[in-house]
Amino acid sequence: MDTPLLWHIPLSHFNEKVRWALDYKGIPHRRRVLGPDYLIRAWRATGRGTLPILFMEGRAIGDSTHIIAALEQRFPQPPLYPADPALRERALALEDFFDEHLGPQLRAAVVTPLFRHDPDIALRVLTTGMPEKAYQNLSKLRRVFPAYYRWRHKISDARLEADRAAVHRALDRIEQERQGHAYLVGDTFTVADLSAAALLGVLLQPPELQYPAAAALPPYLQEYRGGLLQHPAMHWAAGIFRQHRGSSAEVARQKRVGDA
Ligand SMILES: N[C@@H](CCC(=O)N[C@@H](CS)C(=O)NCC(=O)O)C(=O)O
């Protein structure tokens, strides 16, 4: 089998879900950051304009949940899905809940005020883990890019409080589901824990994160982050990173003759 290839956005929490699954299962893989033409390339590959995309065994798989499902089937050990059907159903329902009700809202909660008050920091943060050129290119588009990004991700100033309330509800849900136990479903680490922690990683910024944010957050976001860090679910997520994030299984790209 060819080495699986991940097209990803280093900062992105949905991409972190997939990197974590690949690393957790110890699957050697390559990673590639796309340029400004990412949208068209992603559409061509999968029919949808989002990353992550995993190329594996001749297939281009889009959406983090589908990618983890494919990895689970092809590389069942160590498992991320519980063996028991009822527990599996619960773990998948939680993954779906976090994908829909935590990931987009957390992105909006951070990026909305950054674009409003500090667009340059926003560009620095969004190009985390990318070559300096990516930041420079986006800087040239600073007049139009924020509007494009808001449109792409359905972000608006008017929705900020609603998005932040949704993030808080998701944190509360983690604690309700956990009921003081170490894991969300059963007594082992599953896709539910991975999804919740990965999606919180961008705000948590734990030491295990492979692509820490490229710029310090301004005081108003530090304050927001500081408030959330008090929530027991954030403590729990930090522990999940510590115990289960592990190290990268990325393999370096072989340079070929003629490569830059
Ligand atoms: N539900 C999707 C969400 C993926 C997603 O929203 N990806 C964002 C990065 S966080 C993206 O590709 N944004 C670029 C765009 O939509 O133009 C998944 O789980 O993969």
Side-chain angles (χ1 to χ4, degrees), residues 9 12 14 38-39 49-52 63-64 107 148 152-153:
I9 298 173
S12 159
F14 283 108
Y38 80 92
L39 192 58
T50 61
L51 300 176
D63 194 285
S64 60
R107 173 170 53 209
Y148 165 76
R152 272 297 291 166
H153 296 102

Side-chain angles (χ1 to χ4, degrees), residues 14 95-105 199:
F14 283 108
E95 179 187 22
D96 190 52
F97 171 80
F98 296 128
D99 283 356
E100 299 302 321
H101 301 284
L102 173 61
Q105 294 76 5
L199 293 177

Side-chain angles (χ1 to χ4, degrees), residues 18-199:
V18 170
R19 291 190 298 258
W20 192 333
L22 286 160
D23 294 343
Y24 182 73
K25 287 174 177 288
I27 303 164
H29 63 281
R30 290 184 293 122
R31 297 178 187 174
R32 185 172 302 157
V33 176
L34 302 187
D37 57 349
Y38 80 92
L39 192 58
I40 187 79
R41 296 183 73 180
W43 269 107
R44 276 205 199 116
T46 62
R48 50 187 300 150
T50 61
L51 300 176
I53 294 174
L54 185 74
F55 295 85
M56 185 171 70
E57 297 180 324
R59 277 202 301 155
I61 312 162
D63 194 285
S64 60
T65 296
H66 295 159
I67 296 171
I68 293 177
L71 292 176
E72 189 70 7
Q73 196 170 34
R74 178 66 181 78
F75 303 94
Q77 296 301 327
L80 281 167
Y81 289 180
D84 176 84
L87 293 184
R88 177 182 299 214
E89 199 177 313
R90 233 187 99 208
L92 291 174
L94 281 171
E95 179 187 22
D96 190 52
F97 171 80
F98 296 128
D99 283 356
E100 299 302 321
H101 301 284
L102 173 61
Q105 294 76 5
L106 188 58
R107 173 170 53 209
V110 173
V111 177
T112 306
L114 268 186
F115 271 146
R116 193 195 310 157
H117 303 296
D118 292 291
D120 190 61
I121 297 182
L123 300 188
R124 276 280 172 215
V125 170
L126 289 171
T127 52
T128 289
M130 298 184 185
E132 177 67 16
K133 190 96 189 119
Y135 165 75
Q136 289 166 359
N137 286 339
L138 270 192
S139 281
K140 289 183 200 140
L141 298 173
R142 68 176 65 235
R143 282 173 187 279
V144 289
F145 181 73
Y148 165 76
Y149 190 96
R150 286 197 194 96
W151 169 76
R152 272 297 291 166
H153 296 102
K154 302 184 181 69
I155 286 173
S156 74
D157 287 355
R159 278 200 52 79
L160 178 61
E161 288 316 313
D163 286 324
R164 290 192 165 179
V167 169
H168 220 277
R169 278 197 301 278
L171 293 180
D172 289 346
R173 170 103 190 247
I174 289 173
E175 289 310 288
Q176 281 157 17
E177 296 287 340
R178 234 167 38 82
Q179 294 288 324
H181 293 105
Y183 299 107
L184 285 164
V185 178
D187 50 15
T188 54
F189 176 70
T190 70
V191 68
D193 307 298
L194 181 153
S195 301
L199 293 177

